[in-house]
Amino acid sequence: MARKFLVEHQISVRKIPLKTIHAFITDSALESLKIQQQRWAILFANAVTFNNPCQQHLTLVKILRDASLEEVEILHYLKKHSFIEFETSRIWVPVLGMEQWAIRELDCSGIDIEIILENLLMKRLIEISPSQEEMRIAPLGMHFIMECEVPYGVKK
């Protein structure tokens, strides 16, 4: 998938560390879900794209490897709803609204959502307001989603 994307868009590639390549090969090979395979392909394409300023793809590989589909979908939801234009434009989203969305769209139970949110918070991918009633995507979570879902240099 990554190679096809790079060839179709005539994207110049750069060398990446062998350690990163190894992580991509071993971790992405375990993925069976098509949407997650696509995320792996985009993340790999972004890692080797010459003009992409991000150099932390090994960190992002580890996040994608350890993330469940539901965790990534919640991050995607939060990016869509709490990220306006710049990192400083992140707005708070009601936790209750996100929970209702996850129950409806991801078929999650209340306990599943609690575990997912704690895990995302522990990984510093989301932030919770002092009142515990609102949340937003953290800068690391935002960069992770952008590198997994938007091919660098291609408008979506």
Side-chain angles (χ1 to χ4, degrees):
M1 282 181 170
R3 184 176 189 275
K4 181 180 175 187
F5 171 79
L6 293 167
V7 170
E8 281 178 9
H9 291 86
Q10 300 176 339
I11 294 174
S12 300
V13 297
R14 64 181 172 198
K15 291 182 180 181
I16 60 173
L18 186 57
K19 186 178 187 179
T20 304
I21 292 171
H22 181 267
F24 270 110
I25 292 169
T26 57
D27 294 336
S28 66
L30 300 173
E31 194 54 65
S32 60
L33 298 173
K34 188 76 169 170
I35 191 166
Q36 290 290 78
Q37 290 173 355
Q38 182 177 353
R39 289 177 175 136
W40 276 105
I42 292 171
L43 184 60
F44 183 74
N46 283 340
V48 299
T49 297
F50 185 75
N51 292 328
N52 188 349
C54 181
Q55 301 287 321
Q56 300 304 313
H57 286 92
L58 185 57
T59 299
L60 302 178
V61 164
K62 290 175 183 176
I63 293 170
L64 186 55
R65 176 194 65 209
D66 294 338
S68 68
L69 175 63
E70 293 81 10
E71 288 172 334
V72 178
E73 290 298 322
I74 286 173
L75 285 173
H76 184 73
Y77 172 91
L78 289 173
K79 179 189 175 285
K80 181 178 176 183
H81 290 88
S82 68
F83 179 69
I84 307 302
E85 189 173 347
F86 305 103
E87 279 184 43
T88 55
S89 306
R90 292 173 298 121
I91 60 172
W92 295 101
V93 174
V95 172
L96 183 59
M98 188 285 307
E99 288 175 340
Q100 291 170 343
W101 171 85
I103 289 169
R104 185 178 63 252
E105 298 297 323
L106 302 178
D107 197 28
C108 289
S109 68
I111 191 69
D112 288 336
I113 294 168
E114 284 183 39
I115 293 168
I116 289 167
L117 293 181
E118 285 298 323
N119 199 26
L120 293 173
L121 190 60
M122 181 179 64
K123 294 177 183 176
R124 300 183 52 118
L125 298 172
I126 63 169
E127 298 170 342
I128 303 289
S129 69
S131 70
Q132 305 284 311
E133 293 178 7
E134 296 176 309
M135 62 190 314
R136 64 184 178 190
I137 194 165
L140 178 59
M142 180 192 62
H143 289 296
F144 167 71
I145 288 297
M146 290 177 74
E147 289 291 321
C148 289
E149 299 204 349
V150 181
Y152 183 78
V154 175
K155 301 289 183 201
K156 191 168 185 182

